[in-house]
Every structure is written in structure tokens, then in C-alpha cells.
Amino acid sequence: MRLENIFDLKGRTALVTGSSRGIGAAIAEGLAGAGAHIILHGAKPGATVAVQQRIVASGATADELAGDLSEAGAGRALIERAEAIAPVDILVINASAQINATLSALTPNDLAFQFAVNLGSTIDMLQSALPKMAARKWGRVVSIGSVNQLRPKSVVTAYAATKAAQHNLIQSQARDYARENVLLNTLAPGLVDTDRNAHRRDEDPEGWEEYVRTLNWMGRAGRPEEMVGAAVFLASQACSFMTGETIYLTGGY
Ligand SMILES: NC(=O)c1ccc[n+]([C@@H]2O[C@H](COP(=O)([O-])OP(=O)(O)OC[C@H]3O[C@@H](n4cnc5c(N)ncnc54)[C@H](OP(=O)(O)O)[C@@H]3O)[C@@H](O)[C@H]2O)c1
């Protein structure tokens, strides 16, 4: 018997939100490397051009869509526009808003913005994408969570709460869609070196180094490409009996 490559994504289309840079870009390039056609997404038109060029140069294919996910209905519209390009087999919910503020410093606008991007658009996308995947009897949702969904730091109070709620949504939908071969899981990174935390690193390089050295067992931040292996697994046929779960990639925490 020939051993099938259970990580092969040829013939699949993956929509990766927030794939203009950071973890989303690395995951998009990783899924493309495994054979998937990629639909890239950034907040503004043109944000994903460089990533698209790298994917095409590697011999894979990618389309681009843009849209601000804080706007009402933007998640649903994004799925509809992606489906007009190709059936979305794999949805990576990666774009997120993170405002560093303790509870006492949190403004109503900070709260509304993080709720809209992290929860509102997630619900919107799931409402639109899951029935379509179910009708096709194959689907994978990879929701990018955070170690803060389990062990929240007070400086990211609202962001952490949205990540916990996002995983809760993934679990309830995993239960509802399990028999349709539509499997939903969370990939939860610890600290990863991206634009998101670059300002903290640049403002106080020594303090940052000390923080990172003691943050996890490996004593370093992760790199975006270190998220790719788990993402390909969760997006593939290799992940055929796992749903509603979380993979933590934290360097030991
Ligand atoms: N980096 C970490 O240490 C870390 C740790 C744990 C979890 N995470 C999670 O991992 C994911 C990726 O993080 P990252 O550090 O790679 O992020 P990043 O470098 O800040 O990139 C954010 C991405 O999301 C898009 N985005 C942001 N706000 C948006 C909006 N309102 N509408 C549409 N798109 C929007 C950005 O698009 P534009 O380029 O067009 O602005 C960009 O592609 C997030 O879910 C984050 O919560 C990150």
C-alpha cells in the first residue's frame, strides 16, 4: 500500500486573515508550501503584495483580499468574496486587535474595537463559512488564540478575554460540526517576534531582553515560521480525529 501524504494540501484553498505580515504571513506561506491555493488578507488594499510575490515565486498561487474586520459585517463579506474566488476549505482566523491596557485604563472604544475584530468578525466568518464547509463535507478552521486565553496578563485584560471567548466559540462549533467533517481547533502562541511587539523591543531593548529571558522555559521569543508546522497539521487530513482542542506553542510556560 502506498503511504498517502496526509499533510498534502493540493486542491485545497485556504483563506488566512491578517496574512500581510507576522504569524499570518508565515502560515500562509507554509500552507502554500504544502500545496494549498492561498487567499491572502490584510486590513488595507495592497497590504499583502509582498507575501503574494513570495508565494508566487515559490511556485504556488495566491489571491488577495482586503477589508477592515472592525466594521460590522466585514467577516461575512470577506467569506463571500473569498468563496467567489474558490471554495474556502481552510479558514485561518489570525487577524486580531490588541490594545495593551489594564482594566482601569480600558476605554469603551478600546473595548468595542477589540470585541469587533476578535469576536464580532470571528462569529461573522464562522456563520458564513461553516455551513458551506459542511455542505462539502470537508473543512478545517484554525483559530489563532494566545497563551493569554489560559493565563491572562492584566496588561492585556480585554484582549485576553476575547481570546478565551474565541476559543469557546471554536469549541461549541467544533461540537456542532464534528459529524460533517468540519474540524475546528485553536493554535495558541506564546510570545512571537512580530510587529505587534516591536515597539516594546525598540523602546527598551535591555528591559525587553530581560523580560524575554525569563518569560518561558526556552528564554526566547518564538519566530513566526515556528507556528507553521502545527498550522499545516491542523489544516490537513493529518488532523482527522481532533476538534475543539488547543495546541500551545509557547517555548514552555
Ligand atoms: N505576536 C505575538 O506575540 C502573539 C502571541 C500570541 C498570539 N498572537 C496572535 O497571533 C495572531 C497574529 O499576530 P501577529 O503578532 O502576527 O500580528 P501583527 O504582526 O500585528 O499582524 C496583524 C495582522 O492582522 C491584520 N489586522 C489587524 N487589525 C485588522 C483589522 N482591523 N482588520 C483586518 N485586518 C487586521 C494586519 O493587517 P495590516 O497589515 O493590513 O494592518 C496584519 O496582517 C493574532 O491573532 C495575535 O493575537 C500573537
Side-chain angles (χ1 to χ4, degrees):
M1 196 179 86
R2 229 173 121 249
L3 194 62
E4 180 195 6
N5 180 358
I6 53 179
F7 297 97
D8 189 359
L9 299 180
K10 266 194 232 64
R12 303 279 182 212
T13 293
L15 168 63
V16 185
T17 70
S19 44
S20 55
R21 49 202 166 102
I23 293 169
I27 289 177
E29 291 183 59
L31 298 179
H37 173 68
I38 306 299
I39 303 177
L40 296 161
H41 162 263
K44 294 193 191 82
T48 52
V49 170
V51 184
Q52 188 194 32
Q53 284 170 349
R54 288 201 296 273
I55 289 176
V56 170
S58 76
T61 54
D63 283 291
E64 295 179 88
L65 290 174
D68 183 345
L69 292 174
S70 70
E71 289 168 9
R76 174 173 296 274
L78 180 63
I79 298 294
E80 303 298 339
R81 286 159 64 210
E83 285 274 334
I85 295 172
V88 176
D89 305 300
I90 299 159
L91 170 62
V92 182
I93 302 173
N94 169 78
S96 86
Q98 175 183 342
I99 294 171
N100 292 359
T102 56
L103 192 65
S104 57
L106 201 61
T107 68
N109 281 348
D110 292 346
L111 196 59
F113 182 62
Q114 291 174 101
F115 276 15
V117 178
N118 304 356
L119 280 181
S121 80
T122 295
I123 291 173
D124 245 19
M125 286 189 279
L126 294 176
Q127 279 179 329
S128 178
L130 293 176
K132 297 177 178 61
M133 289 176 174
R136 298 190 286 261
K137 295 285 176 214
W138 202 97
R140 297 287 184 271
V141 176
V142 183
S143 171
I144 307 302
S146 165
V147 70
N148 278 290
Q149 73 193 45
L150 187 67
R151 292 176 211 169
K153 289 204 164 62
S154 57
V155 73
V156 287
T157 299
Y159 164 81
T162 63
K163 288 292 186 181
Q166 191 174 321
H167 180 59
N168 188 284
L169 277 166
I170 291 301
Q171 286 183 302
S172 68
Q173 297 317 296
R175 184 183 285 260
D176 277 4
Y177 282 89
R179 288 164 195 251
E180 313 295 341
N181 195 25
V182 176
L183 310 183
L184 301 89
N185 291 287
T186 294
L187 187 167
L191 183 71
V192 179
D193 213 347
T194 67
D195 290 352
R196 182 167 294 238
N197 35 55
H199 65 283
R200 287 175 66 195
R201 193 179 52 229
D202 297 345
E203 279 160 19
D204 177 12
E206 276 177 25
W208 177 254
E209 217 166 276
E210 181 56 23
Y211 169 67
V212 168
R213 211 177 9 251
T214 54
L215 181 70
N216 61 40
W217 300 345
M218 292 189 185
R220 67 171 177 86
R223 295 182 294 275
E225 60 271 24
E226 291 181 298
M227 307 296 116
V228 170
V232 171
F233 164 67
L234 293 175
S236 70
Q237 193 52 34
C239 177
S240 60
F241 197 53
M242 174 176 170
T243 195
E245 302 286 0
T246 301
I247 296 180
Y248 287 96
L249 299 177
T250 62
Y253 202 77

Coordinates of all heavy atoms in Angstrom, one line a residue, residues 60-143:
A60 N 3.8 28.5 -6.0 CA 2.4 28.3 -5.5 C 1.5 29.5 -6.0 O 2.0 30.3 -6.8 CB 2.3 28.2 -4.0
T61 N 0.3 29.5 -5.6 CA -0.7 30.5 -6.1 C -1.4 31.2 -5.0 O -1.6 30.6 -4.0 CB -1.7 29.9 -7.1 OG1 -2.4 28.8 -6.3 CG2 -1.1 29.3 -8.3
A62 N -1.6 32.5 -5.2 CA -2.3 33.3 -4.1 C -3.1 34.4 -4.7 O -2.7 35.1 -5.7 CB -1.3 33.8 -3.2
D63 N -4.3 34.6 -4.2 CA -5.1 35.8 -4.4 C -5.1 36.7 -3.2 O -4.7 36.3 -2.1 CB -6.6 35.4 -4.7 CG -6.7 34.8 -6.1 OD1 -6.6 35.6 -7.1 OD2 -7.0 33.6 -6.2
E64 N -5.5 38.0 -3.4 CA -5.5 38.9 -2.3 C -6.9 39.5 -2.1 O -7.6 39.9 -3.1 CB -4.6 40.1 -2.6 CG -3.1 39.7 -2.8 CD -2.3 41.0 -3.1 OE1 -1.9 41.7 -2.2 OE2 -2.2 41.3 -4.3
L65 N -7.3 39.7 -0.8 CA -8.5 40.4 -0.5 C -8.1 41.4 0.7 O -7.2 41.1 1.4 CB -9.6 39.5 0.0 CG -10.2 38.6 -1.1 CD1 -11.2 37.6 -0.5 CD2 -10.9 39.4 -2.2
A66 N -8.9 42.5 0.8 CA -8.6 43.4 1.9 C -10.0 43.8 2.5 O -11.0 43.7 1.9 CB -8.0 44.7 1.3
G67 N -9.9 44.2 3.8 CA -11.1 44.6 4.5 C -10.8 44.8 5.9 O -10.1 44.0 6.6
D68 N -11.3 45.9 6.5 CA -11.2 46.2 7.9 C -12.2 45.3 8.7 O -13.4 45.6 8.6 CB -11.4 47.7 8.2 CG -11.1 48.1 9.6 OD1 -11.1 47.2 10.5 OD2 -11.0 49.3 9.9
L69 N -11.7 44.4 9.5 CA -12.6 43.5 10.2 C -13.2 44.1 11.5 O -14.0 43.4 12.2 CB -11.8 42.2 10.6 CG -11.4 41.3 9.4 CD1 -10.5 40.2 9.8 CD2 -12.6 40.8 8.6
S70 N -13.0 45.4 11.7 CA -13.7 46.0 12.8 C -15.0 46.5 12.4 O -15.9 46.9 13.2 CB -12.9 47.2 13.4 OG -12.8 48.3 12.5
E71 N -15.3 46.5 11.1 CA -16.5 47.1 10.5 C -17.6 46.0 10.6 O -17.3 44.8 10.3 CB -16.4 47.5 9.1 CG -15.5 48.8 9.0 CD -15.1 49.2 7.6 OE1 -15.6 48.5 6.7 OE2 -14.3 50.1 7.5
A72 N -18.8 46.4 10.9 CA -19.9 45.4 11.0 C -20.1 44.7 9.7 O -20.1 45.3 8.7 CB -21.2 46.2 11.4
G73 N -20.2 43.4 9.8 CA -20.5 42.5 8.6 C -19.2 42.3 7.8 O -19.3 41.6 6.7
A74 N -18.1 42.8 8.2 CA -16.9 42.6 7.3 C -16.4 41.1 7.2 O -15.9 40.7 6.2 CB -15.7 43.5 7.9
G75 N -16.6 40.4 8.3 CA -16.2 39.0 8.3 C -17.0 38.2 7.3 O -16.5 37.4 6.5
R76 N -18.3 38.4 7.4 CA -19.2 37.7 6.4 C -18.9 38.1 5.0 O -18.8 37.2 4.1 CB -20.7 38.1 6.8 CG -21.7 37.5 5.8 CD -23.1 37.9 6.4 NE -23.3 37.1 7.6 CZ -23.8 35.9 7.7 NH1 -24.1 35.2 6.6 NH2 -23.9 35.3 8.9
A77 N -18.7 39.4 4.8 CA -18.4 39.9 3.4 C -17.1 39.2 2.9 O -16.9 38.9 1.7 CB -18.3 41.4 3.4
L78 N -16.1 39.1 3.8 CA -14.8 38.5 3.4 C -15.0 37.1 2.9 O -14.4 36.6 1.9 CB -13.8 38.6 4.6 CG -12.4 38.0 4.3 CD1 -11.7 38.8 3.2 CD2 -11.6 38.1 5.6
I79 N -15.8 36.3 3.7 CA -16.0 34.9 3.3 C -16.7 34.9 1.9 O -16.3 34.1 1.0 CB -16.8 34.2 4.4 CG1 -16.1 34.1 5.7 CG2 -17.2 32.7 3.9 CD1 -14.8 33.3 5.7
E80 N -17.7 35.7 1.8 CA -18.5 35.7 0.5 C -17.5 36.0 -0.7 O -17.6 35.4 -1.8 CB -19.6 36.7 0.5 CG -20.6 36.5 1.6 CD -21.4 35.2 1.6 OE1 -21.4 34.6 0.5 OE2 -21.9 34.8 2.7
R81 N -16.7 37.0 -0.5 CA -15.7 37.4 -1.6 C -14.7 36.3 -1.8 O -14.3 36.0 -3.0 CB -15.0 38.7 -1.2 CG -16.0 39.9 -1.3 CD -15.5 41.1 -0.5 NE -14.2 41.6 -1.0 CZ -13.3 42.2 -0.2 NH1 -13.5 42.3 1.1 NH2 -12.2 42.6 -0.7
A82 N -14.3 35.6 -0.8 CA -13.3 34.5 -1.0 C -14.0 33.4 -1.7 O -13.4 32.8 -2.6 CB -12.8 34.1 0.4
E83 N -15.2 33.1 -1.3 CA -15.9 31.9 -2.0 C -16.2 32.2 -3.4 O -16.3 31.3 -4.2 CB -17.3 31.7 -1.2 CG -17.1 31.0 0.1 CD -17.1 29.5 0.0 OE1 -17.6 28.9 -1.0 OE2 -16.5 28.8 0.9
A84 N -16.2 33.5 -3.8 CA -16.4 33.8 -5.2 C -15.1 33.5 -6.0 O -15.1 33.3 -7.2 CB -16.7 35.3 -5.4
I85 N -14.0 33.4 -5.3 CA -12.7 33.0 -5.9 C -12.6 31.5 -6.0 O -12.3 30.9 -7.0 CB -11.5 33.6 -5.1 CG1 -11.5 35.2 -5.2 CG2 -10.2 33.1 -5.7 CD1 -10.5 35.8 -4.3
A86 N -12.8 30.9 -4.8 CA -12.8 29.4 -4.7 C -13.4 29.0 -3.4 O -13.4 29.8 -2.5 CB -11.3 28.9 -4.8
P87 N -13.9 27.7 -3.4 CA -14.5 27.3 -2.1 C -13.4 27.3 -1.0 O -12.3 26.8 -1.2 CB -14.9 25.8 -2.4 CG -15.0 25.8 -3.9 CD -14.0 26.8 -4.4
V88 N -13.7 27.9 0.1 CA -12.8 28.0 1.2 C -12.8 26.7 2.0 O -13.7 26.5 2.8 CB -13.1 29.2 2.1 CG1 -12.1 29.3 3.3 CG2 -13.0 30.5 1.3
D89 N -11.8 25.9 1.9 CA -11.7 24.6 2.6 C -11.1 24.8 4.0 O -11.4 24.1 4.9 CB -10.8 23.6 1.8 CG -11.3 23.4 0.4 OD1 -12.4 23.0 0.2 OD2 -10.5 23.7 -0.5
I90 N -10.2 25.8 4.0 CA -9.4 26.0 5.3 C -9.5 27.5 5.6 O -9.2 28.4 4.7 CB -7.9 25.7 5.0 CG1 -7.7 24.2 4.7 CG2 -7.1 26.0 6.3 CD1 -6.4 23.9 3.9
L91 N -10.0 27.8 6.8 CA -10.1 29.2 7.3 C -9.1 29.4 8.4 O -9.3 28.7 9.5 CB -11.5 29.5 7.7 CG -11.7 30.8 8.4 CD1 -11.4 32.0 7.5 CD2 -13.2 30.9 8.8
V92 N -8.2 30.3 8.3 CA -7.3 30.6 9.4 C -7.7 32.0 9.9 O -7.5 33.0 9.3 CB -5.8 30.6 9.0 CG1 -4.9 30.9 10.2 CG2 -5.4 29.2 8.3
I93 N -8.2 32.0 11.2 CA -8.7 33.2 11.8 C -7.5 33.8 12.6 O -7.2 33.4 13.7 CB -9.9 33.0 12.7 CG1 -11.0 32.3 11.9 CG2 -10.3 34.2 13.4 CD1 -12.2 31.9 12.7
N94 N -6.8 34.7 11.9 CA -5.5 35.1 12.5 C -5.5 36.6 12.9 O -4.9 37.0 13.9 CB -4.4 34.8 11.5 CG -3.1 35.5 11.9 OD1 -2.4 35.0 12.8 ND2 -2.7 36.6 11.2
A95 N -6.1 37.5 12.1 CA -6.1 38.9 12.3 C -6.7 39.2 13.7 O -7.7 38.6 14.1 CB -6.9 39.7 11.3
S96 N -6.0 40.0 14.5 CA -6.6 40.4 15.8 C -6.2 41.8 16.1 O -5.2 42.3 15.7 CB -6.2 39.4 16.9 OG -5.0 39.8 17.5
A97 N -7.0 42.4 17.0 CA -6.7 43.7 17.6 C -6.2 43.5 19.0 O -6.8 42.7 19.8 CB -7.9 44.6 17.6
Q98 N -5.1 44.1 19.4 CA -4.6 44.0 20.8 C -4.2 45.4 21.3 O -3.3 46.0 20.8 CB -3.3 43.1 20.8 CG -2.7 43.0 22.1 CD -1.4 42.2 22.1 OE1 -1.2 41.4 21.1 NE2 -0.6 42.3 23.1
I99 N -5.0 45.8 22.3 CA -4.7 47.1 23.0 C -4.2 46.8 24.4 O -4.9 46.2 25.2 CB -5.9 48.0 23.0 CG1 -6.3 48.4 21.5 CG2 -5.7 49.3 23.8 CD1 -7.6 49.1 21.3
N100 N -3.0 47.2 24.6 CA -2.4 46.9 25.9 C -2.9 48.0 26.9 O -2.6 49.1 26.9 CB -0.9 47.0 25.9 CG -0.3 45.9 25.1 OD1 -1.0 45.0 24.6 ND2 1.0 45.8 25.0
A101 N -3.8 47.5 27.8 CA -4.4 48.4 28.9 C -4.9 47.5 30.0 O -5.6 46.5 29.7 CB -5.5 49.2 28.3
T102 N -4.6 47.9 31.2 CA -5.2 47.2 32.4 C -6.7 47.6 32.4 O -7.2 48.5 31.7 CB -4.5 47.6 33.7 OG1 -4.6 49.0 33.8 CG2 -3.1 47.2 33.7
L103 N -7.4 46.9 33.3 CA -8.9 47.1 33.3 C -9.2 48.5 33.6 O -10.1 49.1 33.0 CB -9.5 46.2 34.4 CG -11.0 46.1 34.4 CD1 -11.5 45.4 33.1 CD2 -11.5 45.3 35.6
S104 N -8.5 49.2 34.6 CA -8.8 50.5 35.0 C -8.5 51.5 33.8 O -9.1 52.6 33.8 CB -8.1 50.9 36.2 OG -6.7 50.8 36.0
A105 N -7.6 51.2 32.9 CA -7.2 52.1 31.9 C -8.0 51.9 30.6 O -7.9 52.7 29.6 CB -5.7 52.0 31.6
L106 N -8.8 50.8 30.6 CA -9.5 50.4 29.3 C -10.7 51.4 29.0 O -11.5 51.7 29.9 CB -10.1 49.0 29.6 CG -10.5 48.2 28.4 CD1 -9.3 47.8 27.6 CD2 -11.1 46.9 29.0
T107 N -10.7 51.9 27.8 CA -11.8 52.9 27.4 C -12.9 52.1 26.7 O -12.6 51.0 26.1 CB -11.3 54.0 26.5 OG1 -10.9 53.3 25.2 CG2 -10.1 54.7 27.0
P108 N -14.1 52.6 26.6 CA -15.2 51.9 25.9 C -14.8 51.7 24.4 O -15.1 50.6 23.9 CB -16.3 52.9 26.0 CG -16.1 53.7 27.3 CD -14.6 53.8 27.4
N109 N -14.1 52.6 23.8 CA -13.6 52.5 22.4 C -12.6 51.3 22.3 O -12.7 50.5 21.3 CB -13.0 53.7 21.9 CG -14.1 54.7 21.5 OD1 -15.3 54.4 21.4 ND2 -13.7 56.0 21.3
D110 N -11.7 51.2 23.2 CA -10.7 50.1 23.2 C -11.4 48.8 23.2 O -11.1 47.8 22.5 CB -9.8 50.1 24.4 CG -8.8 51.3 24.5 OD1 -8.7 52.0 23.4 OD2 -8.3 51.6 25.6
L111 N -12.4 48.7 24.1 CA -13.2 47.5 24.3 C -14.0 47.1 23.1 O -13.9 46.0 22.6 CB -14.1 47.7 25.5 CG -14.7 46.5 26.1 CD1 -13.6 45.6 26.7 CD2 -15.6 46.9 27.3
A112 N -14.7 48.1 22.5 CA -15.5 47.9 21.4 C -14.7 47.4 20.2 O -15.1 46.5 19.4 CB -16.3 49.1 21.0
F113 N -13.5 48.1 20.0 CA -12.7 47.7 18.9 C -12.2 46.3 19.0 O -12.2 45.5 18.0 CB -11.5 48.7 18.8 CG -10.6 48.5 17.7 CD1 -11.0 48.6 16.3 CD2 -9.2 48.2 17.8 CE1 -10.2 48.4 15.3 CE2 -8.4 48.0 16.8 CZ -8.9 48.1 15.5
Q114 N -11.7 45.9 20.1 CA -11.2 44.5 20.3 C -12.3 43.5 20.2 O -12.1 42.4 19.6 CB -10.4 44.4 21.6 CG -9.1 45.2 21.6 CD -8.4 45.2 23.0 OE1 -7.5 44.5 23.2 NE2 -8.9 46.0 23.9
F115 N -13.5 43.8 20.7 CA -14.6 42.9 20.6 C -15.0 42.8 19.1 O -15.3 41.7 18.6 CB -15.8 43.5 21.3 CG -15.9 43.1 22.8 CD1 -14.7 42.6 23.4 CD2 -17.0 43.3 23.6 CE1 -14.7 42.3 24.8 CE2 -17.0 42.9 24.9 CZ -15.9 42.4 25.5
A116 N -15.0 43.9 18.4 CA -15.4 43.8 17.0 C -14.5 43.0 16.1 O -14.9 42.1 15.4 CB -15.5 45.3 16.4
V117 N -13.2 43.2 16.2 CA -12.2 42.5 15.4 C -12.1 41.0 15.9 O -12.2 40.1 15.0 CB -10.8 43.2 15.4 CG1 -9.8 42.4 14.5 CG2 -10.9 44.6 14.9
N118 N -11.9 40.8 17.2 CA -11.6 39.5 17.6 C -12.8 38.6 17.8 O -12.7 37.4 17.6 CB -10.8 39.6 19.0 CG -9.6 40.5 18.9 OD1 -9.2 40.9 17.8 ND2 -8.9 40.7 20.0
L119 N -13.9 39.2 18.1 CA -15.1 38.3 18.3 C -16.2 38.5 17.3 O -16.7 37.5 16.7 CB -15.7 38.6 19.7 CG -15.1 38.0 20.9 CD1 -15.8 38.4 22.2 CD2 -15.0 36.5 20.7
G120 N -16.5 39.8 17.0 CA -17.6 40.0 16.0 C -17.2 39.4 14.7 O -18.0 38.7 14.1
S121 N -16.0 39.7 14.2 CA -15.7 39.2 12.8 C -15.5 37.7 12.9 O -15.8 37.0 11.9 CB -14.4 39.9 12.3 OG -13.2 39.3 12.8
T122 N -15.1 37.1 14.0 CA -15.0 35.6 14.1 C -16.3 35.0 14.0 O -16.5 34.0 13.2 CB -14.3 35.2 15.4 OG1 -12.9 35.7 15.4 CG2 -14.2 33.7 15.6
I123 N -17.3 35.5 14.7 CA -18.7 35.0 14.6 C -19.2 35.1 13.2 O -19.8 34.2 12.6 CB -19.6 35.7 15.6 CG1 -19.2 35.3 17.1 CG2 -21.1 35.4 15.4 CD1 -19.9 36.1 18.2
D124 N -19.0 36.3 12.6 CA -19.4 36.6 11.3 C -18.9 35.5 10.3 O -19.6 35.0 9.4 CB -18.8 37.9 10.9 CG -19.8 39.0 10.6 OD1 -20.9 38.8 11.1 OD2 -19.4 40.0 10.0
M125 N -17.6 35.3 10.4 CA -16.9 34.4 9.4 C -17.4 33.0 9.6 O -17.6 32.3 8.7 CB -15.4 34.5 9.6 CG -14.8 35.7 9.0 SD -13.0 35.7 9.0 CE -12.6 36.2 10.6
L126 N -17.5 32.6 10.9 CA -18.0 31.2 11.2 C -19.4 31.0 10.7 O -19.7 30.0 10.1 CB -17.9 30.9 12.7 CG -16.5 30.8 13.2 CD1 -16.5 30.6 14.8 CD2 -15.6 29.7 12.6
Q127 N -20.3 32.0 10.9 CA -21.7 31.9 10.5 C -21.7 31.7 8.9 O -22.6 30.9 8.5 CB -22.5 33.2 10.8 CG -22.9 33.2 12.2 CD -23.7 34.5 12.6 OE1 -23.4 35.5 12.0 NE2 -24.6 34.4 13.5
S128 N -20.9 32.3 8.2 CA -20.9 32.2 6.8 C -20.2 31.0 6.3 O -20.6 30.3 5.4 CB -20.3 33.5 6.2 OG -20.3 33.4 4.8
A129 N -19.0 30.7 6.9 CA -18.1 29.6 6.3 C -18.6 28.2 6.7 O -18.5 27.3 5.8 CB -16.7 29.9 6.7
L130 N -19.0 28.0 7.9 CA -19.2 26.7 8.4 C -20.3 25.9 7.6 O -20.1 24.7 7.2 CB -19.5 26.6 9.9 CG -18.4 27.1 10.8 CD1 -18.8 27.1 12.2 CD2 -17.1 26.2 10.6
P131 N -21.5 26.5 7.3 CA -22.5 25.8 6.5 C -22.0 25.4 5.1 O -22.3 24.3 4.6 CB -23.7 26.7 6.4 CG -23.5 27.7 7.6 CD -22.0 27.8 7.7
K132 N -21.1 26.2 4.6 CA -20.6 25.9 3.2 C -19.6 24.7 3.3 O -19.6 23.8 2.5 CB -19.9 27.2 2.6 CG -20.8 28.3 2.4 CD -20.0 29.5 1.9 CE -20.9 30.8 1.6 NZ -21.6 31.3 2.8
M133 N -18.8 24.7 4.3 CA -17.8 23.6 4.5 C -18.6 22.3 4.8 O -18.3 21.3 4.3 CB -16.9 23.9 5.7 CG -15.9 25.0 5.5 SD -14.9 25.3 7.0 CE -13.7 26.4 6.4
A134 N -19.7 22.4 5.6 CA -20.5 21.3 5.9 C -21.1 20.7 4.7 O -21.2 19.5 4.5 CB -21.6 21.6 7.0
A135 N -21.6 21.5 3.8 CA -22.3 21.1 2.6 C -21.3 20.3 1.7 O -21.6 19.4 1.0 CB -22.8 22.3 1.8
R136 N -20.0 20.7 1.8 CA -18.9 20.0 1.0 C -18.3 18.8 1.8 O -17.4 18.2 1.3 CB -17.9 21.0 0.6 CG -18.4 22.2 -0.3 CD -17.3 23.0 -0.8 NE -16.7 23.9 0.1 CZ -17.0 25.2 0.2 NH1 -17.9 25.8 -0.5 NH2 -16.3 25.9 1.1
K137 N -18.7 18.6 3.1 CA -18.3 17.5 3.9 C -16.8 17.6 4.2 O -16.1 16.5 4.3 CB -18.7 16.2 3.3 CG -20.2 16.0 3.2 CD -20.7 15.7 4.6 CE -22.2 15.5 4.6 NZ -22.9 16.0 5.8
W138 N -16.1 18.7 4.1 CA -14.7 18.8 4.5 C -14.5 20.3 4.8 O -14.8 21.2 4.1 CB -13.8 18.4 3.3 CG -12.4 18.0 3.8 CD1 -12.0 16.8 4.1 CD2 -11.3 18.9 4.1 NE1 -10.6 16.8 4.5 CE2 -10.2 18.1 4.5 CE3 -11.1 20.3 4.1 CZ2 -9.0 18.6 4.9 CZ3 -9.9 20.8 4.5 CH2 -8.8 20.0 4.9
G139 N -13.8 20.5 6.0 CA -13.5 21.9 6.3 C -12.5 21.8 7.5 O -12.6 20.9 8.4
R140 N -11.6 22.8 7.6 CA -10.7 23.0 8.7 C -10.7 24.5 9.1 O -10.5 25.3 8.2 CB -9.3 22.6 8.4 CG -9.1 21.1 8.0 CD -9.2 20.2 9.2 NE -9.0 18.8 8.9 CZ -9.9 17.9 8.5 NH1 -11.2 18.3 8.3 NH2 -9.6 16.7 8.2
V141 N -10.9 24.7 10.4 CA -10.8 26.1 10.9 C -9.6 26.1 11.9 O -9.6 25.3 12.8 CB -12.1 26.6 11.6 CG1 -11.8 28.0 12.2 CG2 -13.2 26.6 10.5
V142 N -8.6 27.0 11.6 CA -7.5 27.1 12.6 C -7.7 28.5 13.2 O -7.5 29.5 12.5 CB -6.2 27.0 11.9 CG1 -5.0 27.1 12.9 CG2 -6.1 25.6 11.1
S143 N -8.0 28.6 14.4 CA -8.2 29.9 15.1 C -6.9 30.2 15.9 O -6.5 29.4 16.7 CB -9.4 29.7 16.0 OG -9.5 30.9 16.8

